[in-house]
Amino acid sequence: MSVQERKPKILIVEDDEAILHVLSLFLSYAHFEVRGARSGKEAMELVPSFGPQLIVLDLNMRPISGWEVLHWLRANKFSPPIRVLVLTASTRLSEQVRGLEEGAVDYLTKPTQPSVLVERIRSILAMSDEALLSLLQKRLLQQRRILEQLVQPGKDEKMNVSIKVH
């Protein structure tokens, strides 16, 4: 297999065995080379030898959380940089903003359709570093504005919030 025909390498970091299995099957079927890690510690051990282009990362794991994995990735400054797509159960907007600020390039909440995940991964991998940075900056700005509106004094009514990025 030539260099151009190699499958993109994806590392799934997920402590739920069933979710890890399903995602691994879908991503393998979508022509990605997939490895799974059941903990943050296992992920940090696998990254240097596997060399993934993208990590699908759960945040809520023990003893080493996905947050700690994000910090470790940023501190180690891999070249080329490893893109991270967070896939977690937390729907809190503040955590989404934090995830993007900590270095994730996208954030999906569970449950999600595996086909949606496959398409997000393809989109992320197809983007240049510059386009990805621009998209990330737009998302952060939008989500910070929404957070500011939600925490303003006197906001008694519920807000229906929708984020759309082109």
Side-chain angles (χ1 to χ4, degrees):
M1 190 178 269
S2 74
V3 173
Q4 291 181 342
E5 294 172 347
R6 286 192 184 148
K7 295 177 181 180
K9 295 179 178 182
I10 309 297
L11 176 62
I12 302 169
V13 186
E14 172 60 61
D15 59 350
D16 184 307
E17 186 74 33
I19 293 172
L20 178 60
H21 181 72
V22 169
L23 294 179
S24 295
L25 285 175
F26 264 85
L27 294 178
S28 294
Y29 183 75
H31 306 292
F32 295 109
E33 183 179 340
V34 180
R35 296 265 171 91
R38 290 174 185 81
S39 68
K41 181 180 186 290
E42 188 178 343
M44 290 187 279
E45 292 169 354
L46 270 172
V47 165
S49 61
F50 180 53
Q53 281 88 27
L54 186 136
I55 297 173
V56 177
L57 181 66
D58 186 13
L59 296 175
N60 301 315
M61 297 179 292
R62 290 194 172 100
I64 296 176
S65 71
W67 296 110
E68 291 170 280
V69 173
L70 280 171
H71 295 176
W72 177 81
L73 288 167
R74 194 169 58 195
N76 281 281
K77 298 180 181 170
F78 289 93
S79 182
I82 301 169
R83 297 171 182 202
V84 178
L85 186 156
V86 167
L87 179 63
T88 193
S90 178
T91 59
R92 294 178 48 208
L93 185 58
S94 60
E95 287 209 2
Q96 291 178 26
V97 170
R98 180 179 170 206
L100 297 173
E101 288 174 338
E102 296 287 342
V105 297
D106 207 346
Y107 191 107
L108 288 174
T109 56
K110 297 176 194 172
T112 192
Q113 293 295 321
S115 58
V116 170
L117 179 64
V118 168
E119 290 309 312
R120 288 282 181 99
I121 289 171
R122 285 186 177 141
S123 295
I124 291 167
L125 292 176
M127 295 178 86
S128 68
D129 290 341
E130 294 80 19
L132 200 55
L133 181 60
S134 176
L135 178 63
L136 181 58
Q137 289 171 338
K138 284 180 188 177
R139 285 184 178 158
L140 274 171
L141 182 61
Q142 284 182 327
Q143 290 183 344
R144 283 183 185 141
R145 286 182 182 156
I146 291 167
L147 274 175
E148 288 171 5
Q149 290 174 356
L150 291 173
V151 296
Q152 284 180 0
K155 290 280 185 183
D156 295 330
E157 70 278 354
K158 291 183 180 179
M159 293 181 63
N160 184 8
V161 178
S162 175
I163 299 173
K164 189 173 184 179
V165 178
H166 300 281

